[in-house]
Amino acid sequence: MEKNLAEQTFLEGRPARNASMRKPLACGLFLLGVASFFSHNYVSDLVTRPWSNAPLSPEPRCPQASPLVPSKSTKELDDAWEYLNSDAFFNKSIEHLSGAVKIPTQSYDDMGEVGVDPRWDIFDSFASYLEETFPVVYKTLDVEKVNTHGLLFTWKGTEASLKPTVLMAHQDVVPVPDSTVNQWTHPPFSGHWDGKFVWGRGSSDCKNQLLGILEAVDTLVNAGFQPKRTLVLSFGFDEEISGMQGADHLAQKLIKRYGHGGAAIIVDEGAANLEGWGANWAIPGVGEKGYVDVIVTVRMPGGHSSIPPAHNGIGVAAELISLIEANPYEPLLHESNPYLSLLYCGAEHAPEFPKTLKHLLKKRAYQSTCSKKGHKDELALEAAKAGLDIKYLFTTSQAVDLISGGVKTNALPERTAFTINHRINIGSSVDVVLFHVAQLFTPVAKKHNLTLNAFNNVTETPSSITLTTRPEYLEPAPVTPTGPGTPFSILSGTTRALYGEDLFVAPGVMTGNTDTRYYWGLSEHIFRYSMGWDREQEGLGRIHTVDERIGGKAHRDVTKWVFGFVRNMDEADL
């Protein structure tokens, strides 16, 4: 998963290690890089303004749900809870996760079709391991295989009128390059347990969540629990390479089965619990940025390089690239951006929230002019000073990632191509990005007497600049509602019951995309949340890099959270 390392690092106040950003559409956690937002030194000597002493809002912007503990219980369920807190369960769950990590379910960008490419076969071994490890789950729940390796578990509820709860995770992991194997403290597929961490690829992204979910269901079944609300577990197998073989097929099946908007809530991997601004936070992702790759192809006459024109194709491409870099998008906090909600939460609850940001939040509430055309978003510009990783939580990014041109040193290039990767801000769209690129490049085309074919499905022609997109573009995700009485309150209450009332729950935003991109039609209540928390663990467990690992406490807390959440959803009146 392409985690939100930005939210991770600004909340922690320390740099994050590099993470691989390899997916065609994005990538799964959450949250992304080297910023330290909470430790940023803001100037606090503000000039008095009419809004300086005004409240942020007549009503709280960030009300907190009360801790939510299931009201219905039995002796068996109480005993099961005690078991989840025991050393016996802890040791057993660590053993299970270690065994799962030992199975190298790597997914590669060039994977062929399922059933054709033999590299998919390892997922048969993983499925067998799960069945051997959780026989009671397999006996009690309906288990289906979707497109061979997608795993769909259904625990039918007694009340068919209640929309189901859907819990997600993915079976695949990012490949471990051979060149890095010797850099690992413990071998990447050893599942080594050192008494504090389980080490290995997939330990924190996200076999820990998959195993934790199954551990919780196994415990509920053994305690005699029978859900009223149907519970669905949906485990894809190619999230790290965009999910088209796994999550796409699983989502289609579920939408066909339950209908559009047929699920009460969906929880997938995502953001973790963090510390910052002098407070503890859970920041489930309620939105994801969009994605589009623009391919720019410059066609110009060739010839011998000993008689070059003033400008050749590579030179014009360089001019276009310089234009892109000289015209970045400005930070803009759209009213629907979850990061704005997080700022309001920080202003209300965090003792170390920066004074300058609180001042600008008041000004925004007082003037209500930030979204007007021609007005710079002062709040976004100030918040962006914390670093690039924070800035791009509310700014469309553009980066030239691929380029090719020329075939020989003494031949002028006839075709030069480069790709611009965009991650689209919440509140913007793919069309806005395409218009921006076409508008920037029009003067260059005229200057060099080239035809501009801008996203019009025209085949490349001589003496032209042609703009196209890759087919895997994605609009920003719909933002999940977080008001009172929504499933967000169940998630929040469950989280605060487990971790205490000194932990605040606030909406988060994902700069990348998880498997949930395929589930938009199934529910509007989608959350990307990694619910395990080990305060001794550094960052997000070094996902996608050397020495990936997960704290044992964080892994156990996944199971405890799911154990409570499933029961809370069963009792919820939504």
Side-chain angles (χ1 to χ4, degrees):
M1 172 188 60
E2 190 172 293
K3 304 277 188 181
N4 237 3
L5 300 179
E7 285 191 1
Q8 167 73 26
T9 51
F10 84 72
L11 283 160
E12 288 184 327
R14 61 174 175 269
R17 291 175 171 81
N18 292 332
S20 172
M21 306 286 282
R22 9 180 344 272
K23 298 181 185 175
L25 289 178
C27 178
L29 99 63
F30 180 174
L31 303 170
L32 293 224
V34 192
S36 55
F37 186 84
F38 282 119
S39 61
H40 191 76
N41 295 318
Y42 288 91
V43 178
S44 59
D45 52 331
L46 302 171
V47 179
T48 302
R49 295 287 186 270
W51 53 81
S52 296
N53 297 315
L56 283 174
S57 170
E59 300 294 333
R61 293 275 194 144
C62 189
Q64 292 296 300
S66 298
L68 186 61
V69 177
S71 62
K72 299 176 183 178
S73 192
T74 63
K75 180 182 184 302
E76 289 78 10
L77 286 168
D78 290 342
D79 289 345
W81 179 253
E82 292 301 316
Y83 172 64
L84 293 182
N85 287 284
S86 70
D87 288 342
F89 171 74
F90 183 85
N91 294 333
K92 184 178 179 182
S93 67
I94 293 299
E95 180 183 344
H96 290 167
L97 177 58
S98 176
V101 172
K102 291 175 182 177
I103 303 172
T105 51
Q106 300 174 97
S107 57
Y108 299 86
D109 287 338
D110 63 347
M111 295 284 261
E113 290 295 315
V114 173
V116 176
D117 192 326
R119 289 176 293 180
W120 292 116
D121 294 347
I122 190 66
F123 290 90
D124 289 325
S125 299
F126 189 71
S128 296
Y129 174 78
L130 295 180
E131 186 169 4
E132 293 166 4
T133 305
F134 301 103
V136 173
V137 173
Y138 273 77
K139 181 179 179 180
T140 306
L141 278 64
D142 295 331
V143 184
E144 302 168 82
K145 291 189 175 181
V146 179
N147 196 22
T148 305
H149 300 302
L151 296 177
L152 190 61
F153 298 78
T154 304
W155 196 359
K156 292 181 180 178
T158 57
E159 296 188 15
S161 62
L162 297 178
K163 293 182 177 181
T165 296
V166 179
L167 302 179
M168 295 173 57
H170 60 88
Q171 307 168 58
D172 62 314
V173 303
V174 169
V176 177
D178 292 339
S179 60
T180 68
V181 170
N182 292 334
Q183 299 174 29
W184 286 69
T185 302
H186 303 284
F189 294 105
S190 64
H192 178 79
W193 168 244
D194 65 1
K196 189 173 182 179
F197 297 102
V198 174
W199 296 69
R201 177 65 84 233
S203 58
S204 62
D205 183 18
C206 70
K207 288 181 177 178
N208 60 312
Q209 191 143 321
L210 191 153
L211 269 289
I213 291 170
L214 289 173
E215 297 278 14
V217 173
D218 183 71
T219 305
L220 286 167
V221 171
N222 284 318
F225 178 75
Q226 174 59 54
K228 292 191 304 180
R229 185 186 301 275
T230 293
L231 176 66
V232 175
L233 314 180
S234 186
F235 301 149
F237 58 93
D238 63 340
E239 193 270 351
E240 300 294 357
I241 55 173
S242 83
M244 289 183 285
Q245 300 283 333
D248 190 8
H249 289 258
L250 287 160
Q252 289 182 42
K253 191 174 189 69
L254 289 173
I255 292 171
K256 183 177 181 180
R257 178 171 295 171
Y258 297 107
H260 187 86
I265 189 172
I266 299 171
V267 183
D268 192 12
E269 61 169 349
N273 295 352
L274 310 165
E275 300 176 33
W277 289 331
N280 297 323
W281 300 90
I283 310 179
V286 300
E288 294 181 346
K289 293 179 75 175
Y291 180 104
V292 65
D293 282 328
V294 174
I295 303 168
V296 183
T297 305
V298 180
R299 292 285 300 272
M300 295 185 72
H304 201 283
S305 60
S306 64
I307 315 173
H311 303 281
N312 67 26
I314 291 177
V316 172
E319 187 175 349
L320 296 173
I321 293 169
S322 295
L323 263 181
I324 285 291
E325 294 190 344
N327 291 273
Y329 290 83
E330 286 200 349
L332 178 64
L333 273 165
H334 191 273
E335 287 296 323
S336 65
N337 192 315
Y339 189 78
L340 179 61
S341 299
L342 176 58
L343 290 176
Y344 279 117
C345 287
E348 285 186 21
H349 299 295
E352 299 173 14
F353 188 77
K355 293 181 179 179
T356 302
L357 288 179
K358 184 175 286 189
H359 163 81
L360 290 171
L361 281 167
K362 290 179 180 179
K363 180 178 178 181
R364 183 184 180 108
Y366 184 84
Q367 290 187 325
S368 299
T369 59
C370 290
S371 61
K372 290 184 179 179
K373 290 184 178 180
H375 287 261
K376 289 185 179 294
D377 190 333
E378 294 179 86
L379 177 63
L381 290 169
E382 181 64 26
K385 293 178 182 178
L388 293 177
D389 303 312
I390 299 307
K391 171 184 174 181
Y392 287 115
L393 292 172
F394 42 86
T395 308
T396 296
S397 63
Q398 50 184 15
V400 178
D401 293 330
L402 298 171
I403 188 167
S404 63
V407 295
K408 205 170 186 296
T409 57
N410 63 353
L412 295 173
E414 295 179 300
R415 187 180 189 275
T416 305
F418 61 92
T419 300
I420 314 167
N421 173 261
H422 298 83
R423 304 299 173 104
I424 305 168
N425 192 18
I426 291 173
S428 187
S429 67
V430 171
D431 283 346
V432 168
V433 168
L434 302 189
F435 179 80
H436 174 75
V437 175
Q439 188 178 47
L440 274 181
F441 290 177
T442 296
V444 178
K446 290 181 178 179
K447 173 184 172 182
H448 297 288
N449 197 27
L450 300 173
T451 300
L452 180 63
N453 302 315
F455 311 109
N456 54 7
N457 297 318
V458 173
T459 304
E460 293 175 24
T461 56
S463 299
S464 67
I465 298 173
T466 302
L467 308 180
T468 58
T469 65
R470 294 192 190 280
E472 304 93 351
Y473 63 82
L474 190 71
E475 297 288 354
V479 177
T480 300
T482 57
T486 64
F488 180 71
S489 62
I490 308 300
L491 183 147
S492 300
T494 301
T495 303
R496 300 188 83 211
L498 180 60
Y499 295 115
E501 293 185 70
D502 62 341
L503 179 136
F504 301 102
V505 184
V509 57
M510 306 282 287
T511 56
N513 305 106
T514 61
D515 271 346
T516 60
R517 77 190 76 165
Y518 299 105
Y519 289 73
W520 296 354
L522 186 61
S523 178
E524 65 173 332
H525 302 286
I526 299 177
F527 300 93
R528 300 93 176 161
Y529 180 48
S530 295
M531 59 286 291
W533 190 21
D534 186 340
R535 300 190 192 201
E536 296 184 28
Q537 178 173 307
E538 180 181 342
L540 291 163
R542 296 182 60 78
I543 63 167
H544 292 201
T545 192
V546 170
D547 280 351
E548 181 178 344
R549 57 187 179 268
I550 188 74
K553 183 180 183 301
H555 178 54
R556 175 167 62 181
D557 282 349
V558 172
T559 300
K560 292 169 66 176
W561 188 93
V562 174
F563 183 84
F565 180 72
V566 169
R567 296 168 64 196
N568 282 333
M569 282 298 299
D570 216 49
E571 298 179 11
D573 182 15
L574 300 173

